[in-house]
């Protein structure tokens, strides 16, 4: 970053900050629908963009998202009674509906009209794709929800997970659009030894194979309506190129390529700031054309060979917001790194895939000071993404410009892809038909019919 | 509060703050006498009004209250040797008496008169009512102790307990003079169902009965020499009114009504600031006319049906000041709230009476920001109490005016009472004879001879 | 201290502070050699002078000390792979040698010369006396290592230990040059009772004996090339004096006298600031003329009668810098003080010798506020030491003057001693021949041939 000011602007998300105002223009993933399973069930704590909120599902099934503190005398509505169309503070019985209206004020004289003067902070919520989305912005009529592909498929074609990370959201997000780290951070020691033909034949993943071949991807990016699309190009042997197309979708979502097989499972992640120093990662896997089979579901859940940690990798739930999504592998235990294992197994000595990322992203500091970094050509996608975020925040702050994608929900209908192509076919040409969501279809990279070449 | 300035002035108690100076005009409950049981026993830590202090009982039985840090080179006197009329720092053997005089300086040359130049911070202490009181003000001759009724009865007529709370003292104090919360926070779910005649007959407490009848008390307050006296009036059926008279006694003491039976046990509480963000609650129960019977004592101690938690509700003692008075039910465990229980049992899902209050008062934030609140008519007593505190602090700061009650110890000879009265008899008339301490008497509310009416 | 400014200047050690700049002129003990035992072994965290560093031993056996954060995108090099002559960041594979040069940048295009532009923060390290020393200053060619006696003897004549203390380094250092505290803090209750001839005969230590006789030492100090030399003089009966000569060696090392027997074991300590609020104490015992015998080694290690706590006195290692050197006796447990024991055993009720010191030094506060202290004649050595430190920092800051001793390594060839002498022989005369390091000799205080007199 050229200036510390821009780093502040980029990273801070509290109410009234330029980036905070920008994020509040969008719908924000707040909770899994499964976290509020029943009508009139217990309220739960949510921390979003530096705000402490209380979420509940009312008698009619609507989700409410209220400010934590009762507007009367500030007690937490977390302890509230969720009953008959609203959440009732247990201190004096004041009751609020999902819109923040005060429905009852039973300790005040019946003739009082004080009740009508109370309007509690309440954010509209919608449910789609198994996620509860909140709109924390200023429009009376919220914008439409983004039309991400998974939001249009049935529930049994989606698998959702969450994970808490203790650092600023931007450095976490950056880690996910960074292509060149995969060949190191997520590699195994054996990946760096002599490359024999037998070993080459053993690779079961196109991605792992080409990242072994070429650890120095070249980047090319274009700005889009929804954010940034970028391609990491690697040599694929002979006159072939290996293209990986990744999306950054404003304001904090990433799409990385699925497997190369036909009809692959797809992944999206949202890096939602709880506040400036912690981020709630939503991991969304989905199948565009059919339900998950039980064994596929289990494979994702246990994390065996997959890119998400299973539920047994979390600490026991605490009463903190999102307390149940705290990973066991943490800064306090050096992410369960084993220096001995590091000699022969995972490059990091850390077993879990996402703990490898967390170790890097959290060790950068709570809020990474970008004035000390040295970016190379491999960081081009990151540079572009920061610029997109900073520009959007400044345009909103200085000119009231609506940020990219807010009012273009259909722009979010994109997919990522990995393909092997003749190197004289530009990546945008080679992938054009694969990056648009076409309902009922689901080509993998292998659809191009190109074989890998050693 | 009209302004943030007033909230700061109201809540901050450290040395040199306007409210801190005001509180220091009064005698402050510092310890239970039982915490310093023996002469020349171990010194203990005390935190009062933002100051770290060390208390000890010297060879003559006098209580000393010294600054934590030895004036020589700052080591803590907590580790000191309590011997032969003073507390001796173990670092270099300097020794102080209860007045802060340096009695011995055994590492300095015998000809030195340096010892005479040292005067350590020391606060005069007195013992009354089983409590050790400290005077932290500037007068050479402290004011008289307040003449609260319990301070004049024998020890076996008093039961004392303490409890630590992690919030500012004012919001805790406010919770105790707030009458309308009782009908909600401390109620049971059944109290809000249909009110049958059988159920009505089952009420064993006049207070619970009338709070069921009318959850919307009207308030009336008067300023007094000692602070504020207020009455919460409820409909008692027909042309009867149910009056509850409560006192706020400067600077942080409350008296709420005893039971309605004849010769009731009485209660006083002091909400003593340890610092801006923690408060030591002194709970005082006493019997004006006779000793506690063992079963009464046990009932108070175990908290069965009583308004104080038993000793087994505290966490193991730590070396912190007042560490042994930390409640088990705390913010970290959501006050042991059980959402399932909340459907049918306590209105809050929290079993312990005082944990219900703590959940509210602590969840308001460490120091409650009063600029966001919305006070109703039910908060009239709280508004008046704040005003009394703020006015006293400003009058002292700006004009050197001695705060209310400091030099009127006999003003503190008051009682609280609950009565049912014909509604055309004003509450002050109906309760006049009952709110003054008359030694040898102890009428309950039932003394009025009015029967409750459904 | 005359002014708060001087206290700030004295205590703060971060980069850019006057004292921080001063300390960085010297070689700083950073690690025990045994903490980096093997080539290409795991890197470890070091915190020095407020900086987070990563130390490793490379393939050639050289020790590297790098800034924690990779200059690329800030990930911690703690997780790095130590291989083939450098430490490789696991995020993107950038690799650094002990001089901070970037040896490899495997995720960038081969034609890039970006690698040559990266130079990571790296501090030169040397090994001597079993300790890894770091030079954190600005000279291209570091100054010579100080020639402390132990740095010239074989490894089997040295025993090293470390201990972490949670307070500012200056108040810890002051505790070690403070002679008069020993007769109190480290005494036993029996030392303060009636002094019988039998008891006198029972003293097995000249030091303990004379400190019993006279608890009020008089001080005399001289400034030296390396810092300050001071003598604490006590009455030794008749016309004899007991002299103890102690050194403060810039910037944070102390030498106190060995036992009085012939050929004694000697001790040096360095009070190395990890940051402003924690200090790593290096305890060095050595024998100038012969190896430690196993039983001597065990005696020092278990702390029986010795002045260092054994390894079983430490908490389990954590991943913090120096986490394995945290003493069990800590502020959180009141240093395992037993008030009952304090009546008859150790004067403090604390069993461990160094825990007695830590209790005092840590209870002074994280950074002791010297504006509240009252120094006596017994604090003369402390006053002089502070002055030496503050003057050096101001001279460097204001005039660029190299601090004392930096370029005079041979000035550090000094010993401490305790002697009994005719009182008309000045201490400098009586000890002159004993305070200079003479290789091959090792006289104790008893070498003077003076018998102790009761």
């Amino acid at each position: 970053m050229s200036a510390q000011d821009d780093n502040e602007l980029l990273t801070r998300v509290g109410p009234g900050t330029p980036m905070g105002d920008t994020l509040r223009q969008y719908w924000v993933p707040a909770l899994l629908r499964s976290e509020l399973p029943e009508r009139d069930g217990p309220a739960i704590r949510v921390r979003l963009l530096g705000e402490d909120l209380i979420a509940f599902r009312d008698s009619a099934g609507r989700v409410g998202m209220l400010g934590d503190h009762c507007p009367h005398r500030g007690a937490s509505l977390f302890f509230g009674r969720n009953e008959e169309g609203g959440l009732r503070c247990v201190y004096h019985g004041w009751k609020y509906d999902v819109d923040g209206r005060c429905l009852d004020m039973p300790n005040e004289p019946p003739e009082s009209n004080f009740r009508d003067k109370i309007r509690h902070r309440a954010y509209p919520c919608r449910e789609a794709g198994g996620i509860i989305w909140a709109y924390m912005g200023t429009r009376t009529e919220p914008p439409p929800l983004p039309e991400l592909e998974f939001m249009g498929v049935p529930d049994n074609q989606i698998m959702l997970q969450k994970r808490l990370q203790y650092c600023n959201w931007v450095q976490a997000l950056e880690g996910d659009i960074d292509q060149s780290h995969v060949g190191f951070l997520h590699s195994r020691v054996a990946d760096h030894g002599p490359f024999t033909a037998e070993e080459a034949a053993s690779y079961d993943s196109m991605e792992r194979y080409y990242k072994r071949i070429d650890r120095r991807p070249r980047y090319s990016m274009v700005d889009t309506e929804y954010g940034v699309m970028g391609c990491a190009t690697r040599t694929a042997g002979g006159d072939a190129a290996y293209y990986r197309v990744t999306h950054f979708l404003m304001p904090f979502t990433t799409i990385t390529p699925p497997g190369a097989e036909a009809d692959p499972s797809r992944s999206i992640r949202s890096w939602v700031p709880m506040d400036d120093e912690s981020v709630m990662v939503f991991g969304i896997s989905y199948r565009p054309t059919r339900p998950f089979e039980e064994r596929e579901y289990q494979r994702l859940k246990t994390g065996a060979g997959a890119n998400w940690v299973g539920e047994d990798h979390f600490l026991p739930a605490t009463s903190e917001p999102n307390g149940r999504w705290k990973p066991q592998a943490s800064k306090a235990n050096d992410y369960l790194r084993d220096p001995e294992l590091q000699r022969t197994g995972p490059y990091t000595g850390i077993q879990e895939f996402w703990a490898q990322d967390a170790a890097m992203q959290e060790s950068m500091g709570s809020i990474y000071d970008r004035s000390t970094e040295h970016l190379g050509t491999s960081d081009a996608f990151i540079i572009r993404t920061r610029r997109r975020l900073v520009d959007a925040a400044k345009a909103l702050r200085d000119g009231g410009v609506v940020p990219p994608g807010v009012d273009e929900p259909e722009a979010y209908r994109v997919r990522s892809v990995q393909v092997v192509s003749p190197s004289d076919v530009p990546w945008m040409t080679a992938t054009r038909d694969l990056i648009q969501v076409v309902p009922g279809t689901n080509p993998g990279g292998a659809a191009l019919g190109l074989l890998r070449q050693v």
Side-chain angles (χ1 to χ4, degrees), chain A residues 13 85-86 142 161 207 317 342 369 373:
Chain A
V13 300
Q161 292 207 51
E207 176 186 3
Q342 194 174 13
D369 173 8
E373 70 189 354

Side-chain angles (χ1 to χ4, degrees), chain A residues 295-350:
Chain A
R295 74 179 164 83
E296 290 169 334
Y297 188 83
Q298 287 305 321
R299 188 160 172 270
L300 282 169
K301 197 169 174 181
T302 58
N307 64 359
W308 201 269
V309 296
E311 292 208 0
D312 53 339
H313 295 272
F314 291 98
L315 289 172
T318 67
S319 64
E320 291 173 48
N322 281 314
R324 63 179 283 208
W325 306 108
K326 281 187 184 177
Q328 271 196 317
S330 71
K331 182 180 177 182
N333 57 24
D334 287 333
Y335 308 90
L336 302 172
R337 169 182 177 249
D338 177 349
E340 203 49 48
L341 188 65
Q342 194 174 13
R343 296 179 191 269
T344 54
Y347 196 72
T348 55
I350 297 168

Side-chain angles (χ1 to χ4, degrees), chain A residues 171-433:
Chain A
Q171 67 209 61
L173 169 70
E174 289 173 357
D176 211 31
I177 54 177
D178 168 355
Q179 287 292 312
S180 78
H181 81 280
V182 185
F184 302 92
L185 186 71
H186 300 309
S187 69
R188 299 184 66 81
V189 174
D191 294 337
H192 299 264
F195 197 24
T196 63
E198 297 91 305
E199 195 197 352
S202 77
Y203 278 81
D204 61 351
S205 149
M206 190 159 129
E207 176 186 3
R208 280 190 60 224
Y209 178 78
Y210 288 111
K211 287 181 177 169
R212 172 69 194 266
I213 294 289
D214 182 358
R215 297 185 199 278
R216 309 173 193 263
R218 276 81 57 211
Y219 279 88
S220 173
M221 284 89 48
V222 290
D223 283 351
T224 64
E225 271 188 296
Y226 56 79
V228 183
M229 171 168 63
C231 179
T233 300
R234 286 176 168 83
T235 303
D239 57 356
Y242 170 62
Y243 297 139
R244 284 180 68 83
V245 177
T246 303
H247 304 279
F248 160 67
L249 304 99
M250 290 283 288
F252 39 49
T253 296
T254 52
I255 310 184
T256 49
E261 72 274 17
D263 198 20
S265 162
R266 296 183 172 273
S267 290
I268 298 183
R269 284 175 288 281
S270 279
W271 305 82
V272 181
M274 295 175 66
D275 50 37
D276 294 345
E277 302 187 3
S278 61
V279 52
M280 175 50 51
V281 194
F282 283 76
I284 302 145
S285 299
Y286 67 99
R287 291 202 151 281
T289 59
R290 65 166 175 83
F292 278 108
E293 295 174 14
E294 182 58 26
R295 74 179 164 83
E296 290 169 334
Y297 188 83
Q298 287 305 321
R299 188 160 172 270
L300 282 169
K301 197 169 174 181
T302 58
N307 64 359
W308 201 269
V309 296
E311 292 208 0
D312 53 339
H313 295 272
F314 291 98
L315 289 172
T318 67
S319 64
E320 291 173 48
N322 281 314
R324 63 179 283 208
W325 306 108
K326 281 187 184 177
Q328 271 196 317
S330 71
K331 182 180 177 182
N333 57 24
D334 287 333
Y335 308 90
L336 302 172
R337 169 182 177 249
D338 177 349
E340 203 49 48
L341 188 65
Q342 194 174 13
R343 296 179 191 269
T344 54
Y347 196 72
T348 55
I350 297 168
Q351 287 279 23
E352 293 177 7
F353 186 96
W354 288 106
Q356 293 163 2
D357 285 292
M360 297 300 103
Q361 295 161 12
E362 294 182 359
S363 75
M364 293 161 76
S366 293
I367 300 179
Y368 179 43
D369 173 8
R370 289 173 175 75
S371 69
T372 65
E373 70 189 354
H374 296 81
L375 300 184
T377 62
S378 64
D379 301 301
F381 200 164
I382 288 170
I383 294 167
R384 182 77 71 111
T385 295
R386 288 182 193 169
R387 181 51 47 209
R388 204 88 169 99
L389 283 165
V390 168
D391 287 351
K394 288 182 176 173
L396 176 66
R397 180 191 65 190
D398 301 335
V401 179
V402 176
V406 168
D407 289 316
E408 294 83 29
E410 69 290 343
Y412 286 76
R413 295 180 194 156
V414 291
R415 293 170 173 171
S416 282
V417 69
Q418 55 176 330
V419 301
V420 176
S421 159
S423 59
D424 58 0
V425 180
W427 69 270
M428 291 187 69
T429 309
T431 62
R432 182 178 298 121
D433 295 339

Side-chain angles (χ1 to χ4, degrees), chain A residues 38-41 56-64 81-87 95-98 103:
Chain A
E38 61 176 329
R39 298 177 180 202
D40 291 341
F56 66 105
R57 189 181 293 279
D58 76 3
S59 312
R62 294 175 303 173
V63 174
R81 300 184 62 83
N82 184 9
E83 53 186 26
E84 292 165 44
L87 188 65
K95 182 175 173 179
Y96 308 93
D97 71 6
V98 297
L103 303 178

